[in-house]
Amino acid sequence: MLEAASSLAMGFRAMPSIDVKMAKASGYTSGFDYLRIGLSLSVLLWHSYSVANFDESVRVFWGGPARALPAAILPMFFALSGFLVAGSLGRTRLHQFALLRILRIVPALAFETVLVALLLGPIFTVLPLGVYFTSPEFLSYFLNIVGYIHYTLPGVIGGQMLNAQLWTIPTELECYLALILLALVGATRRRALFGAGLGLVVLGLTVFSVGAGDQSPYAQLGGRVLIFAFLAGVLIHLYRDRIPHDGRLFLASLVLAALLLTYRETSYLAAFPVAYVTVWLGATDPRKVPFGDLSYGVFLFHFPIIKLSYDIFGESLTFPAYFAIALPLSLACAWISWTFIEKPILVHKRQIIAWIESVASLRRRAEPRVG
């Protein structure tokens, strides 16, 4: 048995690390691009099904043995984000890192918010347009742009949640804030301390969840699970030079993640195998994606399209029909967002940050000195 364990350990050491695997692709592998769009389309697929078959989706998936399928999507999204933004943090100063995150999230979110409020809302509201545009509910909807999420527009689909997918935006912002605070106290420069602390907290939360014993079998994942998936992605980035890119570890992590995600009480522990599965897939390097990064746009636009389609057709259409409606429309909106908003900003992000820094510097110099 010892010889077998020794052989297995030697086999792991013989495999290239994640860092080496990515270095061969000049530091960025296209697997992450495929993961992003794949996960976004998975969210679209899931919401098409759950909107058309809500009761069945809760009973069959969230309360059944197939729970791991929908439960894995968002943790993988957040683990991917944690791994990639940890790399950004290592290449920039903290204020630049924060500005980069704002430039990545806010422009497309602003476009989606404005488009839904000014185009879709007036079409689908049951209120007179004068009442719609002067409603406090309409005005507060624009707070979505800064991450203060409002889900409804006046008179649109009976006050139901039009933008349910946006519940993850504040959680994403919390993840960035947590990473900035960890960097400020030096935790990201002490990876052993970071890993030990994260492991202890996750273990403590798991023990508490199991001990509470009052979780509904139909309960979905909470935002805190996503935060720990994000931090697990950060941890893998910190240890990327030591963690092997190994197919056996991938399969073992896949099985373990499925088992842990089957129960809400053990979902915190799933952060680590989910993060490894995500990064392993991302570190593969297939042919480059022949289009831009449409993932964020698909994520932002798909739910209003599905929800408004259901408001029109109701139960007369099935889940595949709603998916067929939402897919091309979401991709079209995502392409517009990427081509005319996201990509131009990302292409010029260094110049934008330099301009912001120069303006801030001039303002500091112009401030009167006391004494």
Side-chain angles (χ1 to χ4, degrees), residues 20-264:
V20 169
K21 182 77 174 177
M22 295 184 65
K24 291 180 179 178
S26 301
Y28 187 86
T29 48
S30 59
F32 289 107
D33 296 327
Y34 283 94
L35 253 183
R36 271 197 288 252
I37 190 63
L39 290 171
S40 292
L41 293 176
S42 297
V43 174
L44 191 158
L45 180 69
W46 170 250
H47 282 154
S48 298
Y49 173 76
S50 60
V51 167
N53 306 279
F54 179 76
D55 292 337
E56 183 180 347
S57 70
V58 172
R59 176 175 51 82
V60 174
F61 285 94
W62 289 115
R67 175 186 172 89
L69 291 176
I73 298 172
L74 289 179
M76 289 183 70
F77 246 134
F78 275 72
L80 184 155
S81 177
F83 182 84
L84 293 181
V85 303
S88 174
L89 179 65
R91 296 187 298 268
T92 58
R93 293 187 234 172
L94 277 179
H95 73 280
Q96 293 173 334
F97 171 79
L99 288 172
L100 284 171
R101 305 281 60 79
I102 292 171
L103 291 177
R104 186 66 188 99
I105 288 182
V106 171
L109 182 59
F111 177 56
E112 189 268 352
T113 299
V114 170
L115 191 65
V116 171
L118 298 184
L119 180 61
L120 296 181
I123 293 174
F124 288 94
T125 185
V126 297
L127 299 175
L129 292 183
V131 176
Y132 173 83
F133 283 115
T134 57
S135 169
E137 187 180 3
F138 168 77
L139 297 175
S140 63
Y141 188 81
F142 289 92
L143 292 173
N144 287 348
I145 295 172
V146 294
Y148 184 29
I149 303 303
H150 291 70
Y151 298 101
T152 61
L153 281 168
V156 178
I157 58 174
Q160 297 179 50
M161 294 175 69
L162 182 62
N163 263 314
Q165 84 287 7
L166 294 185
W167 76 269
T168 63
I169 296 295
T171 304
E172 183 85 1
L173 296 176
E174 288 178 27
C175 288
Y176 298 154
L177 179 60
L179 185 55
I180 289 172
L181 293 175
L182 288 168
L184 280 173
V185 300
T188 54
R189 294 190 297 273
R190 300 174 176 86
R191 62 186 185 181
L193 178 63
F194 182 95
L198 180 60
L200 286 173
V201 172
V202 167
L203 185 60
L205 286 170
T206 302
V207 171
F208 175 81
S209 296
V210 172
D214 57 354
Q215 300 283 3
S216 166
Y218 302 108
Q220 301 181 22
L221 293 180
R224 297 299 169 264
V225 173
L226 303 184
I227 291 176
F228 287 108
F230 176 91
L231 294 175
V234 173
L235 182 64
I236 290 182
H237 184 272
L238 296 178
Y239 276 98
R240 65 194 182 280
D241 61 323
R242 302 285 297 275
I243 298 176
H245 187 265
D246 190 286
R248 294 163 295 181
L249 278 178
F250 168 77
L251 291 175
S253 297
L254 191 65
V255 172
L256 183 59
L259 291 173
L260 293 173
L261 286 171
T262 300
Y263 305 98
R264 181 182 171 100

